[in-house]
């Protein structure tokens, strides 16, 4: 099954030319954005506290390598290539739109127009577009006549995706996004201008017609992202709240809990609606969200979390659940190991996920639900695997952090992923060594770019294991060179506090 959020832009951009009916994507976007409203905003997640002091230095393991992928020759021009060229044009417009929306979002966050959960949900909305374009790129082969422009636009798309990922992971802030997106903005405008000229010259298409098509597509996409939508039309499905608790923090009321799928079929679009009452049973506010797990399997559970500032005078609340039948994801990821530690006010969980499928996956979401002695939910947290994309049979570490865990005596971990593509090929770790310096362990080495083009945003991820092979810690950094020229190398250093359980480590690398 393909998550509808992933194909939003593909449906919007190419369904008209291919004659396929477009599905109702508004509820999907509403669901995906609302499900993130209780997460922390970019640039605001607290840094984790330090780990215990070291007793030994881990020994290095064999570094992984990534084989380059051959490029297929361009297809021949055919009589039907005009329609194919227009389909390609629509996807190029989608890439231009994602670049512009990222710039707009960053400027609104930097100016203070978007704050807190509003800024986070806006970033996630842009991420949805990028996911959809990923799907379109993976499933579409452009005609030869526009292939050079297509390849240039795909490179711009990859840069934009990397910026969103870095912003989402709090590696850069809104100001850095504004600075870094300036060049892609100019580049994609130039690409579209070249394609406009090409289509006008080769197919005698009117420039005004192309401009109108572009405006219509972008306007339709903005309408989908900006228009509030009602809940799904289906009646309440067989999903029920098994645990919930509320607390206040500053001006906000938080409600967290867990929903169980009591049916024999997978359930999706599982929406929680809270109605807030005062002591006279008058409604003083309402709020809604979706479960953090996109699809809940039969008999399975998913946590949820919602927040609202509209709760003045509330003395009680009521929760209602609405859901629809769905399909389990085709992708399969498993959690192969995990452990928790407490550092000051923070509860940390580190571990590793494995891609059990035969194709790459990305956007691997890892969810932790914390329970008290009575099996009531007392905390919820989620994040994404540190590798942006995980190859078939590959692994990626993850780390979760929360400061809301009072009363927790155990936790459960779940993971889900989306079909994806591996990033830049031809990047590998040439060498690395480890050393101790007081309370810290440092991994230094060199990354080789064996490709024939420059590599950017090269992330180096180090996973630390204990003697039994379970994950004991994780750290990552970027190469010293922001851009590694073709055939060149760049040094890197990854440093973290040692843990007494560190025994050995592995290094993985990923870039654009």
């Amino acid at each position: 099954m393909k998550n509808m959020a992933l194909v939003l832009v593909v449906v919007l951009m190419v369904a008209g030319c291919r004659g396929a009916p477009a599905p109702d994507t508004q509820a999907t976007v509403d669901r995906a954005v609302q499900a993130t409203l209780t997460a922390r905003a970019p640039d605001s997640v607290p840094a984790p506290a330090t780990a215990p002091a070291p007793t030994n230095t881990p020994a290095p393991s064999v570094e992984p390598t990534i084989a380059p992928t051959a490029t297929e020759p361009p297809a021949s021009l055919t009589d039907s290539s005009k329609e194919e060229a227009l389909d390609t044009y629509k996807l190029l417009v989608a890439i231009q739109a994602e670049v512009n929306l990222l710039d707009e979002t960053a400027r609104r966050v930097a100016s203070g127009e978007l704050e807190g959960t509003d800024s986070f949900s806006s970033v996630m909305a842009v991420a949805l577009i990028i996911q959809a374009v990923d799907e379109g790129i993976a499933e579409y082969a452009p005609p030869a006549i526009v292939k050079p422009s297509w390849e240039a636009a795909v490179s711009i798309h990859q840069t934009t995706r990397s910026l969103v990922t870095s912003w989402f992971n709090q590696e850069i802030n809104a100001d850095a996004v504004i600075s870094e997106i300036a060049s892609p903005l100019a580049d994609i405008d130039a690409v579209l201008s070249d394609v406009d000229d090409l289509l006008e010259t080769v197919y005698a298409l009117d420039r005004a017609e192309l401009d109108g098509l572009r405006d219509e597509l972008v306007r339709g996409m903005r309408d989908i992202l900006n228009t509030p939508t009602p809940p799904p039309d289906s009646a309440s499905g067989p999903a029920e709240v098994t645990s919930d608790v509320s607390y206040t923090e500053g001006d906000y009321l938080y409600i967290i809990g867990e929903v169980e799928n009591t049916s024999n079929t997978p359930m999706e679009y599982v929406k929680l609606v809270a109605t807030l009452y005062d002591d006279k049973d008058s409604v003083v506010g309402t709020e809604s969200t979706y479960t953090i797990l996109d699809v809940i399997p039969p008999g399975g559970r998913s946590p949820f979390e919602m927040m609202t500032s509209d709760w003045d005078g509330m003395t009680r609340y009521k929760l209602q659940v609405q859901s629809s039948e769905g399909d389990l994801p085709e992708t399969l990821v498993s959690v192969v190991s995990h452990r928790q530690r407490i550092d000051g006010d923070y509860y940390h969980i580190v571990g590793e996920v494995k891609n059990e499928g035969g194709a790459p996956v990305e956007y691997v979401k890892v969810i932790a639900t914390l329970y008290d002695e009575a099996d009531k939910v007392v905390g919820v947290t989620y994040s994404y695997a540190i590798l942006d994309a995980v190859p078939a049979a590959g692994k990626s570490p993850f780390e979760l952090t929360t400061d809301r865990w009072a009363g927790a005596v155990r936790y459960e971990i779940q993971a889900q992923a989306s079909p994806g593509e591996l990033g830049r090929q031809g990047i590998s770790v040439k060498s690395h060594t480890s050393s101790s310096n007081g309370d810290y362990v440092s991994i230094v080495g060199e990354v080789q770019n064996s490709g024939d083009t420059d590599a950017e945003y090269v992330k180096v991820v180090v996973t630390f294991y204990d003697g039994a092979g379970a994950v004991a810690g994780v750290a990552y950094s970027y190469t010293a060179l922001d851009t590694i020229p073709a055939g060149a190398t760049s040094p890197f250093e990854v440093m973290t506090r040692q843990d007494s359980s560190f025994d050995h480590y592995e290094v993985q690398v990923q870039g654009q």
Side-chain angles (χ1 to χ4, degrees):
M1 182 200 74
K2 293 182 180 177
N3 189 313
M4 288 173 63
L6 297 181
V7 297
L8 167 62
V9 173
V10 177
V11 169
L12 180 64
M13 294 294 144
V14 303
C17 282
R18 297 182 180 177
D24 180 6
T25 56
Q26 295 193 26
T28 301
V29 175
D30 179 55
R31 168 180 174 274
V33 173
Q34 288 292 333
T36 65
L37 287 180
T38 55
R40 296 181 184 273
D43 311 326
S44 65
V45 175
T50 57
T55 58
N56 65 318
T57 300
S61 61
V62 178
E63 58 277 324
T65 59
I66 304 176
T69 301
T71 302
E72 295 183 0
S76 299
L77 185 63
T78 66
D79 292 340
S80 63
S81 61
K82 176 179 178 179
E83 181 178 352
E84 294 174 350
L86 283 174
D87 283 350
T88 306
Y89 182 77
K90 294 176 182 180
L91 280 170
L92 295 178
V93 171
I95 294 174
Q96 183 186 46
E98 75 180 15
V99 177
N100 279 279
L101 286 174
L102 177 58
D103 178 65
E104 292 174 15
T105 301
R107 291 182 184 279
R108 293 176 69 190
V109 171
S111 68
E113 180 183 349
L114 291 176
E115 297 180 330
T117 56
D118 288 338
S119 64
F120 190 88
S121 60
S122 295
V123 175
M124 287 301 297
V126 177
L128 281 176
I129 297 175
I130 291 174
Q131 285 180 308
V133 176
D134 276 339
E135 285 275 331
I137 290 172
E139 298 178 3
Y140 191 76
I145 194 170
V146 293
K147 191 168 184 179
S149 297
W150 169 265
E151 291 175 345
V154 169
S155 176
I156 294 167
H157 163 73
Q158 292 170 343
T159 298
T160 307
R161 181 178 61 185
S162 180
L163 283 173
V164 170
T165 301
S166 297
W167 193 13
F168 181 84
N169 291 332
Q170 290 87 47
E171 296 159 4
I172 59 176
N173 59 21
D175 289 331
V177 173
I178 295 170
S179 175
E180 294 293 333
I181 201 66
S183 179
L185 276 170
D187 292 343
I188 191 62
D189 286 348
V191 168
L192 263 294
S193 178
D194 289 343
V195 175
D196 283 340
D197 292 340
L198 182 67
L199 295 180
E200 185 178 31
T201 301
V202 175
Y203 298 115
L205 291 175
D206 184 68
R207 182 64 66 94
E209 178 184 352
L210 292 174
D211 291 343
L213 175 61
R214 187 190 309 189
D215 291 343
E216 179 183 357
L217 294 172
V218 173
R219 184 170 58 253
M221 181 165 57
R222 288 182 179 276
D223 288 345
I224 286 179
L225 292 177
N226 296 331
T227 303
T229 60
D233 294 333
S234 61
S236 295
E240 61 182 41
V241 177
T242 57
S243 172
D244 65 276
V245 65
S246 66
Y247 63 93
T248 59
E249 188 173 288
D251 295 332
Y252 292 92
L253 169 75
Y254 293 82
I255 302 175
I256 62 174
E258 191 172 48
V259 169
E260 180 179 3
N261 177 7
T262 59
S263 75
N264 295 321
T265 59
M267 304 303 295
E268 61 181 357
Y269 305 113
V270 182
K271 185 173 186 177
L272 283 298
V273 177
T275 308
L276 315 180
Y277 302 90
D278 62 15
D279 56 3
K280 297 180 180 179
D281 275 351
S282 296
V283 175
V284 296
T286 182
E287 190 56 73
S288 65
T289 190
Y290 289 85
T291 54
I292 299 176
L293 200 62
D294 294 335
V295 181
I296 308 178
R301 297 184 178 188
S302 173
F304 67 87
E305 183 178 23
M306 68 175 71
M307 63 177 289
T308 179
S309 59
D310 187 19
W311 61 282
D312 186 34
M314 186 206 78
T315 58
R316 69 178 184 90
Y317 63 85
K318 177 179 68 177
L319 292 175
Q320 295 173 284
V321 187
Q322 188 176 59
S323 59
S324 302
E325 291 187 5
D327 297 312
L328 289 175
E330 296 174 356
T331 56
L332 177 63
V333 291
S334 63
V335 181
V336 294
S337 72
H338 56 87
R339 67 170 59 184
Q340 61 85 17
R341 73 177 190 274
I342 298 171
D343 291 333
D345 295 333
Y346 297 100
Y347 193 101
H348 297 269
I349 302 173
V350 295
E352 192 171 44
V353 293
K354 181 179 180 180
N355 177 6
E356 303 286 359
V361 297
E362 59 186 356
Y363 301 105
V364 181
K365 183 190 290 186
V366 185
I367 305 163
T369 310
L370 284 62
Y371 303 88
D372 63 14
E373 292 182 348
D375 275 349
K376 300 296 184 183
V377 175
V378 295
V380 174
T381 182
Y382 74 93
S383 186
Y384 289 83
I386 295 177
L387 284 181
D388 300 330
V390 184
K395 297 179 181 180
S396 173
F398 66 84
E399 182 169 16
L400 307 176
T401 303
T402 180
D403 59 358
R404 189 73 190 183
W405 56 276
V409 297
R410 70 177 186 89
Y411 65 91
E412 291 185 0
I413 297 284
Q414 300 182 78
Q416 65 177 22
S418 302
E421 289 186 337
L422 295 179
R424 169 64 179 270
Q425 305 296 287
I427 308 173
S428 61
V429 178
K430 184 178 180 181
S431 65
H432 58 84
T433 59
S434 63
S435 62
S436 294
N437 182 10
D439 292 341
Y440 291 87
V441 59
S442 177
I443 313 297
V444 297
E446 198 169 34
V447 168
Q448 173 78 50
N449 176 13
S450 58
D452 55 7
T453 58
D454 295 350
E456 298 181 321
Y457 306 107
V458 178
K459 179 191 290 186
V460 181
V461 180
V462 180
T463 309
F464 297 90
Y465 299 90
D466 61 20
V471 173
V474 60
Y476 69 92
S477 183
Y478 288 83
T479 54
L481 290 178
D482 298 332
T483 300
I484 307 177
T489 63
S490 173
F492 69 85
E493 180 176 18
V494 179
M495 182 178 293
T496 187
R497 277 188 174 271
Q498 289 199 80
D499 188 284
S500 59
S501 61
F502 287 178
D503 178 76
H504 62 281
Y505 68 89
E506 290 184 359
V507 182
Q508 299 183 76
V509 62
Q510 219 170 50
Q512 301 296 328

